[in-house]
Structure formats: structure tokens, C-alpha cells
Amino acid sequence: MSIKQPYVLFLGDAPDPLAAKVAQGIKDWRPGLSVGQITLPGCNADMDLQNISVKEAVSLGAKTLVIGVANRGGIISSKWMDVLKEAITAGLDIASGLHNLLRDEAELVNLSKKFNTNLVDVRVPTVDYPIANGIKRKGKRCLAVGTDCSIGKMYTAIALEKEMKNIGLKATFRATGQTGILITGSGVPLDAVIADFMAGSIEFLTPDNDQDHWDIIEGQGSLFHPSYSGVTMALIHGGQPDALILCHEPTRSHMRGLPGYSLPSLEELNDMAVKMARVVNNNVKVVGISVNTSGMTKDKAIEYLTSVEDKMKLPTVDPVLIGTSRIAEQLANF
Amino acid sequence: MSIKQPYVLFLGDAPDPLAAKVAQGIKDWRPGLSVGQITLPGCNADMDLQNISVKEAVSLGAKTLVIGVANRGGIISSKWMDVLKEAITAGLDIASGLHNLLRDEAELVNLSKKFNTNLVDVRVPTVDYPIANGIKRKGKRCLAVGTDCSIGKMYTAIALEKEMKNIGLKATFRATGQTGILITGSGVPLDAVIADFMAGSIEFLTPDNDQDHWDIIEGQGSLFHPSYSGVTMALIHGGQPDALILCHEPTRSHMRGLPGYSLPSLEELNDMAVKMARVVNNNVKVVGISVNTSGMTKDKAIEYLTSVEDKMKLPTVDPVLIGTSRIAEQLANF
């Protein structure tokens, strides 16, 4: 799966900035990638890009209109259709991570056939992934694993990629979810891959590379989350990680979506993830801990990070609060 | 997914008995389920059922012709087509676990529409499974986990179901693979389920039941097999097992299909499986060990079983050699 670049970001009628978080991610992490933004009346999100028309996007070189907005239920709004049709007619591809698929919209499908453009639903795998073969690969891989889902694994990985590049290391963020794929333009929509091919899809995503190159793999789910643990396991065994980062959110009272299930401790996560990763790489090392402290005051957050670092003897950061440089250093000296 | 019963078993032109192992499984484990067998010239398999025609199968009450034979590559042989078409025309459903799908054979599809019969590809999920919710279910569940794939987990589970019923316990074998689904007529083709719904499909397969009822869940893959460990993990977390059975094959030199990957010890499997199962059921217990000793002489096998039992302090059986009664007793006294 790969999306043609550069993009024009479609913000639609986003009622608030949060509704446009996909667009925000693209703007934040790939700042040069978008030629402008397209909004509809009532839009309350702004990526600080120039407001342009479809025609202007094309003349600025855009190849794909990315739907950077989500509404309740992940449906494709009827209000968006005029712009989407105009974009296809002007020769642009459309990319979307919405639950409802572009390919199920007959009008868009017919138009894209007529104008020979692509509708890219990043939730749907388009590759026949192999079954994992477990063969040792060249290059190095780092995987973020979490005590729960939605705990900052993607943010950690993409922030780490940026930091590593800043200090001159070879690093590639490897997306495994919709938002990551839209941000980078490629990846594996792992939660939609067929069971037998999950680990193989991650081997496919992170092939042989230079010995000093790091793939920073976006984590999914959690080994301790009963709904999605199988997906996490496939990431660990398909990813063949040399380095693991433990991700945590200390204010969460139970596993996401599962009242009655408490989060494991960082020690438990450490033990289990290392044991499982050793099956494919006996030299795997945990290189740091990434904590999402957004639910704490800054003082409390610093105190918490220090206490975790003392207890776990591992560099402990909040990527938003203090950045990932201490973890990047670990990988530089790996 | 459910297959109408009774069956007529189609053995085709099976070159040897092994090619008809699906039919053999149905005959062995559900002896009253098939009204007869249909063979073609050159067939060297025999289920010890009466040889009948499609017409006779219908008059004996058959509802489904089950393709009980596989050839190299799992394709639907052109030699079989006349019988398959005759069966559909006579009103029979067709069920198949082959890699090539009935639904991709235009002639069969058109005919089945015309005669209003079903083509059941048991490799393809037909249910929109839910995402697992982890809610505690009534009744009890036992899951077979292995040190490797293809190590006797299905055989162990279905033999245990039979033994439990023999001694008056409530037990249901829950199939998670093609052969098991064809044998029992229902189940979840787990390796073909989409990643996000794997654990949910197992919750769906093993719903609330009587407090003294046991679901005996067919295992898949292995926590230690890099290609399929995610599938196993979903079985453990979706299955919410009360009891685990450890399965092993002592003569195997490496993980199936993965030269260079050695099997874990039974202790390692025990530790990992129990730790992971405790996430969903803190009271989980390992109730026995099932060893496939078919690669050993009988004397060596008995010696091996005894040594494992001494070391692991768990009832250790070979279901073929000495049966599963000692494990069934464990569940009776659970």
C-alpha cells in the first residue's frame, strides 16, 4: 500500500480540531508533504496551510487528496461529495482511513474509473502478504509495546524517528495503523490483515536493510489486552525486534474498553515482551520507557518519570514533555 | 458457519488413504454422520461405508456432499466436477476445506443458484465476528496449546470430548480449523479471520453454557511459532480457558517449517501459556500433557510418558496409545 505524494489535506466541515487529527498528524510529522488545505463552510480546524481549491492543489503538484477529518461513525459525509468528485475529475487520487470505504461509494468508484485515478482505503490491505518465515533480517528494528492500547505507541515511534534523523541516524518509521499510513504514505493496516498472514505482513514491512539502519515499528494493541493481544504478538514475532520500548499511561483505571481488566505493571510488560521477543531474537533489549503523562500536572509528571526510571533502571521519557532524545541515544549506542 | 447433516463423503480419486484424511476424521469421530461414500475410478481410500451414488445418497437422507479428499495444492480436480454438479442438481449442499474455493468455480456457483443449494467453503468465515469483550462467561473451557503447530492438538481435543461423553460429562469439541469444522459441521476458521476479530470469534464460538459443561477448544499454532503465535494468543484470550492441556511431539528437530527454530520445553510452554491465560482467567490450571509418540517404539513411548509425568507432575498421555481418560478425570474433578 502506498499513497502518491504530495498531498492536499481535506478538512471538510471538521467541527473542532480533534476531528481533524489525521490531518494534524500529517502536518506535524511530514510538514513539507502537503501543498495546502481544503475546507468547507463550518470548518473549525486549521493546519496553518494555505486554503486552496482543488484546481489550485493540482497546479501546486498535489497527487492525492487525503481525507484528514473524521466524523462520528467514520462515515463519508454527503457534504464532502462535491469536493471529492471534483478532485477525482481533476485527476487526484483520494486516500481515506475512514471506517466506511471509498470503494463502497458507487459514484466515486465510477468517476475514478473514468478519470483513471485511485481510491485508497488505508484500512484495507491491498497486498497478498506472505506467511512469516522467521529468517533473520539485516538491519535493526525497534518496536514499541504497551501496557494497553491507545497509549502513545505511534507517537513515540514517529517522534523517535524524527529525533534519530536529527542526530544523523538512519531511521524509518514503519506504520501499522491507518493514521500512520496516511502520515507516511505507506504501511500495513495490521488490524485488517488475515490471521495467518499477520506476522508475515510485518516481515514484509521491515525487510533487510543497512546494518546501521533502524526500522521504528508502530506498535498495536497490547499483549495484555484480550481483544487485540494476538495482533501485538504478531508484531513481536514478525518484527524480530532488536530493541523494545515500553509504553504506559499511569492514570488509566482499566484496559481500554474493558472495565474490570487492570493494566499490567511495567515489570510484567517487560518480562512478557522480552520473553516473547527472544523467540525470534535472543539479543533483544529494552532500551527505554515512554510514558504518556498528559493526565498529570507537569510537576507530578516529572516526579513520576523519575520514580519509574529509578525503579526500572531504564531511560524514561514523555515524548511530548521532554522528547525522545535519551532513547535515541540508546539506539545510537546499540 | 454450519453444515447441514447428514453427509455423504466424497473420496474422489484419492491416490492413498492419507489423501482422504478429512473423510477418515469424519468417519472416526462422527461415525453415524455419513450415509455412505462416493468414489471415482482409481480411488485407493475406503471409509468402510457403503459405496453409493448421488441419487442413493439423497434417498438415504444426505444433505451435504463433503469433499473428504485433498490433492496436491488443494485444488478442485476437474475429474470431480461431474459428481459435484450431479450432487448440486440433486439438491445437495457441497462442503469443502480445500485451498481453492467452491465459490470461485463459476459452473458450480451458477448451478447452486439454480437449484438453491449452498457451497460451503469452510476456509472462509461467513460470520461478522465481534471484537472480544473479555466478559466472564458461564460454563468451563479447556484449550489445547502446543510446543509447535501440527502436533496433535485437534486429535487431543476431539478424543477428550469423546472420552468425557463416555463417562457422562457434558462436553463439546469446538473446531477452529478446516478439518475440525468438517468433522463437526460447525466452528470458526480462525486462521482466515481478520486480525481485530480473532479473539472475538473465539468468544462467539464458546458462549455462556451450563456451569458443568466443558467446551473443548481446538488449538492452533503455538505461542512459540513466529508465523502463527498471534493466532494462538487470540485463542488463549478469546477462549478464557479454565483448563489447559500441553501438547508435544518429542522427536521433532525444529519448529514446523522453520529450520533453525527449536521447540520450547514443556516447562517454557507451561509458564508462558499460564501467564497469558491468567490475564483472562486467574484460576486457570494445566490439567495434563498430551504427547504424540507416533515417532517412537511403544516401549520408548511409555518410558517417555513416564519421565515427563515424573518431571512435570501432571497426567501425561498419548491419546492414540493410551487414551485421554486420565485428563478427562481431571476435568471431572475440576
Side-chain angles (χ1 to χ4, degrees):
Chain A
M1 174 168 301
S2 81
I3 308 169
K4 288 187 209 155
Q5 299 175 340
Y7 297 160
V8 55
L9 299 181
F10 179 64
L11 310 184
D13 49 347
D16 53 47
L18 195 61
K21 69 177 183 172
V22 166
Q24 192 68 55
I26 296 170
K27 174 62 191 344
D28 289 348
W29 298 111
R30 296 292 184 266
L33 194 54
S34 305
V35 302
Q37 63 188 24
I38 295 176
T39 60
L40 293 177
C43 181
N44 291 315
D46 184 6
M47 298 305 123
D48 204 15
L49 293 168
Q50 54 179 333
N51 281 301
I52 57 178
S53 66
V54 166
K55 214 173 263 178
E56 288 165 327
V58 172
S59 71
L60 289 166
K63 295 282 182 287
T64 302
L65 178 147
V66 174
I67 299 181
V69 54
N71 49 25
R72 278 174 76 92
I75 63 167
I76 295 162
S77 167
S78 59
K79 291 180 194 160
W80 305 346
M81 289 303 267
D82 285 347
V83 172
L84 301 185
K85 289 191 282 184
E86 190 190 347
I88 296 170
T89 306
L92 293 177
D93 289 354
I94 312 274
S96 162
L98 295 173
H99 187 79
N100 275 34
L101 303 179
L102 296 166
R103 68 177 60 180
D104 293 334
E105 300 288 328
E107 258 191 308
L108 301 182
V109 170
N110 291 335
L111 214 55
S112 72
K113 275 183 194 153
K114 185 170 165 192
F115 289 93
N116 198 26
T117 69
N118 300 303
L119 302 178
V120 186
D121 288 300
V122 300
R123 278 181 187 262
V124 183
T126 53
V127 173
D128 283 334
Y129 298 113
I131 286 176
N133 61 29
I135 294 172
K136 188 80 191 160
R137 307 200 284 293
K138 292 194 188 106
K140 293 200 159 39
R141 287 161 304 280
C142 176
L143 172 68
V145 293
T147 52
D148 195 3
C149 304
S150 309
I151 210 157
K153 292 186 297 291
M154 186 193 90
Y155 192 98
T156 300
I158 201 163
L160 182 61
E161 178 206 45
K162 187 176 175 187
E163 180 63 28
M164 290 175 77
K165 285 182 166 168
N166 280 347
I167 60 172
L169 299 176
K170 294 183 195 168
T172 308
F173 169 75
R174 298 294 189 184
T176 62
Q178 288 92 34
T179 304
I181 294 172
L182 287 170
I183 290 175
T184 60
S186 66
V188 167
L190 183 57
D191 61 11
V193 172
I194 296 212
D196 252 4
F197 305 99
M198 293 185 300
S201 75
I202 302 305
E203 291 188 347
F204 177 91
L205 180 69
T206 59
D208 275 330
N209 213 318
D210 297 345
Q211 279 299 6
D212 59 346
H213 176 277
W214 282 92
D215 274 335
I216 312 298
I217 307 172
E218 180 188 358
Q220 294 293 338
S222 164
L223 286 176
F224 294 84
H225 195 295
S227 313
Y228 308 115
S229 52
V231 178
T232 313
M233 184 65 114
L235 270 162
I236 293 176
H237 282 169
Q240 223 172 69
D242 299 275
L244 294 170
I245 299 169
L246 312 180
C247 298
H248 187 50
E249 206 280 66
T251 67
R252 209 166 276 192
S253 60
H254 60 74
M255 298 294 279
R256 188 172 162 86
L258 301 179
Y261 281 88
S262 52
L263 275 66
S265 66
L266 280 163
E267 287 90 342
E268 287 173 290
L269 173 63
N270 183 89
D271 290 356
M272 184 62 70
V274 167
K275 256 187 205 144
M276 291 302 356
R278 279 197 183 136
V279 170
V280 287
N281 186 348
N282 204 34
N283 299 315
V284 65
K285 264 178 61 178
V286 177
V287 293
I289 298 172
S290 174
V291 183
N292 175 351
T293 64
S294 59
M296 300 170 142
T297 62
K298 190 172 171 181
D299 284 354
K300 283 276 173 208
I302 298 291
E303 196 181 306
Y304 182 82
L305 295 176
T306 308
S307 74
V308 170
E309 178 147 347
D310 286 350
K311 192 176 57 166
M312 301 290 294
K313 316 287 181 215
L314 286 164
T316 301
V317 306
D318 179 326
V320 177
L321 195 64
I322 62 171
T324 58
S325 60
R326 296 184 57 225
I327 295 178
E329 279 163 29
Q330 294 286 311
L331 299 182
N333 301 320
F334 199 85
Chain B
M1 174 168 302
S2 80
I3 307 170
K4 286 187 210 154
Q5 300 175 339
Y7 298 160
V8 55
L9 299 181
F10 179 64
L11 310 184
D13 50 346
D16 53 45
L18 196 61
K21 68 176 183 176
V22 166
Q24 192 68 55
I26 296 170
K27 174 62 192 344
D28 289 348
W29 297 111
R30 295 293 185 265
L33 195 54
S34 304
V35 302
Q37 64 188 23
I38 295 176
T39 61
L40 294 176
C43 180
N44 290 313
D46 183 5
M47 297 306 123
D48 204 14
L49 293 167
Q50 56 179 334
N51 281 300
I52 56 177
S53 66
V54 166
K55 213 173 266 180
E56 287 166 326
V58 172
S59 71
L60 288 166
K63 296 281 183 286
T64 303
L65 180 147
V66 175
I67 299 181
V69 54
N71 49 25
R72 278 173 76 92
I75 63 167
I76 296 162
S77 167
S78 59
K79 291 180 193 160
W80 304 347
M81 289 303 266
D82 285 346
V83 171
L84 300 185
K85 288 191 281 186
E86 190 190 344
I88 295 170
T89 306
L92 293 177
D93 288 355
I94 312 273
S96 162
L98 296 172
H99 187 77
N100 275 36
L101 302 180
L102 297 166
R103 69 176 59 179
D104 293 336
E105 300 288 328
E107 259 190 305
L108 300 183
V109 170
N110 291 335
L111 214 54
S112 72
K113 274 182 194 152
K114 186 169 165 194
F115 289 93
N116 199 26
T117 69
N118 300 302
L119 301 178
V120 186
D121 288 300
V122 300
R123 279 183 186 262
V124 184
T126 52
V127 173
D128 283 335
Y129 299 113
I131 287 175
N133 62 28
I135 294 172
K136 187 80 188 159
R137 308 200 283 295
K138 291 196 189 105
K140 295 197 156 42
R141 287 159 305 280
C142 175
L143 172 68
V145 294
T147 52
D148 194 2
C149 303
S150 310
I151 210 157
K153 293 187 295 292
M154 187 193 90
Y155 192 98
T156 300
I158 200 164
L160 182 60
E161 179 206 43
K162 188 177 176 187
E163 180 63 28
M164 291 175 76
K165 285 183 167 170
N166 280 347
I167 60 172
L169 298 176
K170 294 183 195 167
T172 308
F173 170 75
R174 299 295 189 181
T176 61
Q178 289 91 35
T179 304
I181 294 172
L182 287 171
I183 290 174
T184 59
S186 65
V188 167
L190 184 58
D191 60 11
V193 171
I194 295 209
D196 252 4
F197 305 99
M198 292 186 299
S201 76
I202 302 304
E203 291 188 347
F204 176 90
L205 180 68
T206 58
D208 276 329
N209 213 317
D210 297 344
Q211 279 299 6
D212 59 346
H213 177 277
W214 283 92
D215 274 334
I216 312 298
I217 308 172
E218 180 187 357
Q220 295 292 337
S222 164
L223 285 175
F224 294 85
H225 194 294
S227 313
Y228 308 115
S229 53
V231 178
T232 313
M233 185 66 114
L235 269 162
I236 293 176
H237 282 169
Q240 223 172 68
D242 300 274
L244 294 170
I245 299 169
L246 312 180
C247 297
H248 187 50
E249 206 279 68
T251 68
R252 209 166 275 191
S253 60
H254 59 74
M255 298 293 279
R256 187 173 163 85
L258 301 179
Y261 280 88
S262 53
L263 275 66
S265 66
L266 280 163
E267 287 89 342
E268 286 173 290
L269 173 62
N270 183 90
D271 290 356
M272 184 61 71
V274 167
K275 253 184 207 146
M276 293 297 5
R278 279 197 183 135
V279 169
V280 286
N281 185 349
N282 205 35
N283 298 315
V284 65
K285 264 177 63 179
V286 178
V287 292
I289 299 173
S290 174
V291 184
N292 175 352
T293 64
S294 59
M296 299 170 141
T297 63
K298 191 172 171 181
D299 283 355
K300 282 273 175 215
I302 297 291
E303 196 183 304
Y304 181 82
L305 295 176
T306 308
S307 74
V308 169
E309 177 147 347
D310 285 351
K311 192 176 58 169
M312 300 290 292
K313 316 287 180 214
L314 286 164
T316 302
V317 305
D318 179 326
V320 177
L321 195 63
I322 61 169
T324 58
S325 60
R326 295 184 57 224
I327 296 178
E329 279 163 30
Q330 295 286 310
L331 298 182
N333 300 320
F334 200 85

